[in-house]
Amino acid sequence: MKHNNQLYSVHLRKHWQERVKTWFNQPARKWRRHMNRVKKAKKVAPKPTHSLRPAIACPTRRYNYRLREGRGFTRAELAAAGLTPDYARAIGISIDPRRTNKCQESLDRNKERLKEYLSHLTVIPIRKEKREKKGLSLEGHVQYTGKILPITNKGVHEKPRLVTEEEKKFVAYQAIRRARADARLFGKREKKRKDKEEASKL
């Protein structure tokens, strides 16, 4: 402030204490969530607390090299592993009816994931008669509480090496243009080949 002026009257009496939101029940809610998880685990025991999720690629070119857990497996992936949707749900496998496989790579990846899960799985019947018939019991099994088959993104690093003569001669731009041309002219070339075969038969 400069000079001998009058002091400004700032209207800061807004009763801010009445508009403050407190969060004193946060520790109690944390404890309640924990106890709910414990109760649920006891209820489903010896079944694992989590269900199996698929490994899917993240969207966009920036992150598509990374894998993460998806919502559920597709029907095609279940069929490839020899499972039905109802049976898969019963043994703790998540299903997403909306997701589709865009490539063979993702289908094979999740098919192997399902097969690995089935190799570690022990199915115990709910009914006592069936358990006694198979000689199984609910006791003596340790419940798995963590994520099932966690996904890791460890990159494969190639050791440094010399560039080969074949790699030096390869021109990526030409290869891409040739592939685009082949895809574009596939129909015309196929028609031309068929016409030539028909003409040779006559």
Side-chain angles (χ1 to χ4, degrees), residues 123-128 130-131 134 136 138:
V123 180
I124 304 167
I126 296 170
R127 292 184 181 177
K128 190 179 178 182
K130 284 189 176 181
R131 285 202 302 270
K134 289 187 177 182
L136 297 168
L138 292 171

Side-chain angles (χ1 to χ4, degrees), residues 8 45 58 81 85 92 103 112 136 182 185 193 202:
Y8 292 110
C58 297
C103 63
E112 292 302 317
L136 297 168
D182 290 343
L185 300 169
R193 185 183 63 79
L202 294 172

Side-chain angles (χ1 to χ4, degrees), residues 14-157:
K14 296 186 185 295
H15 305 288
W16 61 268
Q17 292 94 338
E18 295 173 9
R19 296 179 178 84
V20 172
K21 186 177 179 180
T22 57
W23 195 246
F24 299 129
N25 61 346
Q26 189 181 17
R29 281 192 176 185
K30 181 184 176 182
W31 175 250
R32 186 174 67 187
R33 287 196 302 271
H34 166 68
M35 291 311 296
N36 285 340
R37 285 194 296 270
V38 170
K39 283 176 190 174
K40 187 181 176 183
K42 283 180 181 176
K43 190 178 177 181
V44 299
K47 188 180 174 182
T49 53
H50 294 73
S51 57
L52 180 69
R53 306 270 180 185
I56 63 167
C58 297
T60 72
R61 286 186 295 174
R62 185 172 182 179
Y63 299 108
N64 64 6
Y65 66 92
R66 286 188 69 251
L67 291 177
R68 67 172 178 85
E69 280 191 348
R71 185 184 181 88
F73 291 88
T74 62
R75 292 179 187 277
E77 288 163 356
L78 295 173
L83 296 169
T84 59
D86 290 338
Y87 182 69
R89 281 195 185 95
I91 60 172
I93 296 170
S94 298
I95 298 168
D96 187 3
R98 291 171 295 184
R99 190 168 71 85
T100 55
N101 293 102
K102 299 290 195 305
C103 63
Q104 188 65 32
E105 186 184 350
S106 69
L107 183 71
D108 293 339
R109 187 197 304 128
N110 287 313
K111 176 186 165 186
E112 292 302 317
R113 193 168 165 79
L114 285 166
K115 284 187 174 178
E116 188 181 352
Y117 176 72
L118 292 170
S119 67
H120 297 300
L121 189 70
T122 305
V123 180
I124 304 167
I126 296 170
R127 292 184 181 177
K128 190 179 178 182
E129 300 83 25
K130 284 189 176 181
R131 285 202 302 270
E132 288 174 354
K133 196 176 179 182
K134 289 187 177 182
L136 297 168
S137 66
L138 292 171
E139 281 122 32
H141 296 280
V142 179
Q143 187 182 31
Y144 191 75
T145 53
K147 283 191 175 182
I148 301 168
L149 301 177
I151 297 161
T152 55
N153 281 290
K154 289 180 181 177
V156 180
H157 299 288

